Coordinates of all heavy atoms in Angstrom, one line a residue:
S561 N 0.8 -1.2 0.0 CA 0.0 0.0 0.0 C 0.8 1.3 0.0 O 0.3 2.4 -0.2 CB -0.9 0.0 1.2 OG -0.2 0.1 2.4
S562 N 2.1 1.2 0.2 CA 3.0 2.3 0.2 C 4.2 2.2 -0.8 O 4.4 1.1 -1.2 CB 3.6 2.5 1.6 OG 2.6 2.6 2.6
D563 N 4.8 3.3 -1.1 CA 5.9 3.3 -2.0 C 7.2 3.1 -1.2 O 8.0 4.1 -1.1 CB 5.9 4.6 -2.8 CG 6.9 4.6 -4.0 OD1 7.3 3.4 -4.4 OD2 7.2 5.6 -4.5
I564 N 7.4 1.9 -0.7 CA 8.6 1.6 0.1 C 9.8 1.6 -0.8 O 9.8 0.9 -1.8 CB 8.4 0.3 0.9 CG1 7.2 0.3 1.8 CG2 9.7 -0.1 1.7 CD1 7.2 1.3 2.9
D565 N 10.9 2.3 -0.4 CA 12.1 2.3 -1.2 C 13.1 1.2 -0.8 O 13.9 0.7 -1.6 CB 12.8 3.6 -1.1 CG 11.9 4.7 -1.7 OD1 11.6 4.6 -2.9 OD2 11.6 5.7 -1.0
I566 N 13.1 0.8 0.5 CA 14.0 -0.2 1.0 C 13.4 -0.8 2.3 O 12.7 -0.1 3.0 CB 15.4 0.4 1.2 CG1 16.4 -0.7 1.4 CG2 15.4 1.4 2.3 CD1 17.9 -0.3 1.2
A567 N 13.7 -2.0 2.6 CA 13.2 -2.7 3.8 C 14.4 -3.2 4.7 O 15.3 -3.8 4.1 CB 12.3 -3.8 3.4
L568 N 14.3 -2.9 6.0 CA 15.2 -3.5 7.0 C 14.4 -4.5 7.7 O 13.5 -4.1 8.4 CB 15.8 -2.4 7.9 CG 16.6 -1.3 7.3 CD1 16.9 -0.2 8.3 CD2 17.9 -1.9 6.8
I569 N 14.9 -5.7 7.7 CA 14.0 -6.8 8.2 C 14.8 -7.6 9.3 O 15.9 -8.1 8.9 CB 13.5 -7.7 7.1 CG1 12.7 -6.9 6.1 CG2 12.7 -8.9 7.7 CD1 12.3 -7.7 4.8
D570 N 14.3 -7.8 10.5 CA 14.9 -8.6 11.5 C 14.7 -10.1 11.1 O 13.6 -10.5 10.6 CB 14.2 -8.4 12.8 CG 14.8 -9.1 14.0 OD1 16.1 -9.3 13.9 OD2 14.1 -9.6 14.9
V571 N 15.7 -10.9 11.4 CA 15.6 -12.4 11.0 C 14.6 -13.1 11.9 O 13.7 -13.8 11.4 CB 17.0 -13.0 11.1 CG1 16.9 -14.5 11.0 CG2 17.9 -12.5 10.0
L572 N 14.8 -12.9 13.2 CA 14.0 -13.7 14.2 C 12.7 -12.9 14.5 O 12.7 -11.9 15.3 CB 14.8 -13.9 15.5 CG 16.0 -14.8 15.3 CD1 16.8 -14.9 16.6 CD2 15.7 -16.2 14.7
M573 N 11.6 -13.4 14.0 CA 10.2 -12.9 14.3 C 9.3 -14.1 14.4 O 9.5 -15.1 13.7 CB 9.8 -11.9 13.2 CG 10.6 -10.7 13.1 SD 9.9 -9.5 12.0 CE 10.0 -10.3 10.4
P574 N 8.2 -14.0 15.2 CA 7.3 -15.1 15.3 C 6.4 -15.1 14.0 O 6.4 -14.1 13.3 CB 6.4 -14.7 16.5 CG 6.6 -13.3 16.7 CD 8.0 -12.9 16.2
E575 N 5.7 -16.2 13.8 CA 4.8 -16.4 12.7 C 5.6 -16.4 11.3 O 5.6 -17.4 10.7 CB 3.7 -15.4 12.6 CG 2.8 -15.4 13.9 CD 1.8 -14.3 13.9 OE1 1.4 -13.9 12.8 OE2 1.4 -14.0 15.0
M576 N 6.1 -15.3 10.9 CA 6.9 -15.3 9.6 C 8.2 -14.7 9.9 O 8.3 -13.5 10.2 CB 6.1 -14.5 8.6 CG 6.8 -14.4 7.2 SD 6.1 -13.2 6.1 CE 4.4 -13.4 6.2
D577 N 9.3 -15.4 9.8 CA 10.6 -14.9 10.1 C 11.1 -14.0 8.9 O 10.5 -13.9 7.9 CB 11.7 -16.0 10.4 CG 12.0 -16.9 9.2 OD1 11.7 -16.5 8.1 OD2 12.6 -17.9 9.5
G578 N 12.2 -13.3 9.1 CA 12.7 -12.3 8.1 C 13.1 -13.0 6.8 O 13.0 -12.4 5.8
I579 N 13.6 -14.2 6.9 CA 14.0 -14.9 5.7 C 12.8 -15.3 4.8 O 12.8 -15.0 3.6 CB 14.8 -16.2 6.1 CG1 16.1 -15.7 6.7 CG2 15.1 -17.1 4.8 CD1 16.9 -16.8 7.4
E580 N 11.7 -15.7 5.5 CA 10.5 -16.0 4.7 C 9.9 -14.7 4.1 O 9.4 -14.7 3.0 CB 9.4 -16.7 5.6 CG 8.1 -17.0 4.9 CD 8.2 -17.8 3.6 OE1 9.2 -18.6 3.5 OE2 7.4 -17.7 2.7
L581 N 9.9 -13.7 4.9 CA 9.4 -12.4 4.5 C 10.2 -11.9 3.3 O 9.6 -11.5 2.2 CB 9.5 -11.3 5.6 CG 9.1 -9.9 5.2 CD1 7.7 -9.8 4.6 CD2 9.2 -9.0 6.4
T582 N 11.5 -12.0 3.3 CA 12.4 -11.7 2.2 C 12.0 -12.5 1.0 O 11.9 -12.0 -0.1 CB 13.9 -11.9 2.6 OG1 14.2 -11.0 3.7 CG2 14.8 -11.6 1.4
R583 N 11.8 -13.8 1.2 CA 11.5 -14.7 0.1 C 10.2 -14.2 -0.6 O 10.1 -14.1 -1.8 CB 11.4 -16.1 0.6 CG 11.2 -17.1 -0.5 CD 11.2 -18.6 0.0 NE 12.6 -18.9 0.5 CZ 12.9 -19.1 1.8 NH1 11.9 -19.1 2.7 NH2 14.1 -19.4 2.2
R584 N 9.2 -13.9 0.2 CA 7.9 -13.4 -0.3 C 8.0 -12.1 -1.1 O 7.4 -11.9 -2.1 CB 6.9 -13.3 0.8 CG 6.4 -14.6 1.3 CD 5.3 -14.5 2.3 NE 5.0 -15.8 3.0 CZ 4.0 -16.0 3.7 NH1 3.1 -15.0 3.9 NH2 3.8 -17.1 4.3
I585 N 8.8 -11.2 -0.6 CA 9.1 -9.9 -1.3 C 9.7 -10.2 -2.6 O 9.3 -9.6 -3.6 CB 10.0 -9.0 -0.4 CG1 9.2 -8.5 0.9 CG2 10.5 -7.8 -1.2 CD1 10.1 -7.9 1.9
K586 N 10.7 -11.0 -2.6 CA 11.5 -11.2 -3.9 C 10.7 -12.1 -4.9 O 11.1 -12.2 -6.1 CB 12.8 -11.9 -3.6 CG 13.7 -10.9 -2.8 CD 13.9 -9.6 -3.5 CE 14.7 -8.6 -2.7 NZ 15.0 -7.4 -3.4
H587 N 9.6 -12.8 -4.5 CA 8.8 -13.5 -5.4 C 7.6 -12.8 -5.9 O 6.8 -13.3 -6.7 CB 8.4 -14.9 -4.8 CG 9.5 -15.9 -4.8 ND1 10.4 -16.0 -3.8 CD2 9.8 -16.8 -5.7 CE1 11.3 -16.9 -4.1 NE2 10.9 -17.4 -5.3
D588 N 7.4 -11.6 -5.3 CA 6.2 -10.7 -5.7 C 6.7 -9.8 -6.8 O 7.6 -8.9 -6.6 CB 5.7 -9.9 -4.5 CG 4.5 -9.1 -4.8 OD1 4.3 -8.6 -5.9 OD2 3.7 -9.0 -3.9
P589 N 6.1 -9.9 -8.0 CA 6.6 -9.0 -9.1 C 6.5 -7.5 -8.8 O 7.3 -6.7 -9.4 CB 5.7 -9.4 -10.3 CG 5.1 -10.7 -9.9 CD 5.1 -10.8 -8.4
M590 N 5.6 -7.1 -8.0 CA 5.4 -5.7 -7.6 C 6.5 -5.2 -6.6 O 6.7 -4.1 -6.5 CB 4.0 -5.4 -7.1 CG 2.9 -5.8 -8.1 SD 3.0 -4.9 -9.6 CE 2.7 -3.3 -9.1
L591 N 7.1 -6.2 -5.9 CA 8.0 -5.8 -4.8 C 9.4 -6.2 -5.0 O 10.3 -5.8 -4.3 CB 7.5 -6.4 -3.5 CG 6.1 -6.1 -3.0 CD1 5.7 -6.9 -1.8 CD2 5.9 -4.6 -2.8
V592 N 9.6 -7.1 -6.1 CA 10.9 -7.7 -6.3 C 12.1 -6.7 -6.3 O 13.2 -7.1 -5.9 CB 10.9 -8.6 -7.5 CG1 10.8 -7.8 -8.8 CG2 12.1 -9.5 -7.6

């Protein structure tokens, strides 16, 4: 919903860790 220029992501998080979040970002054509 926002025009994010860069993301800083912590590795250790509950539910979805930073590695999975990164993977989802990089597999989304709008966010890659």
Side-chain angles (χ1 to χ4, degrees):
S561 65
S562 301
D563 191 18
I564 302 295
D565 294 305
I566 192 163
L568 294 174
I569 302 173
D570 185 35
V571 170
L572 297 176
M573 295 187 295
E575 297 174 29
M576 182 190 316
D577 69 13
I579 294 169
E580 178 58 26
L581 175 56
T582 299
R583 189 175 292 113
R584 290 187 188 191
I585 291 168
K586 295 304 178 176
H587 281 88
D588 184 326
M590 300 302 291
L591 304 176
V592 67

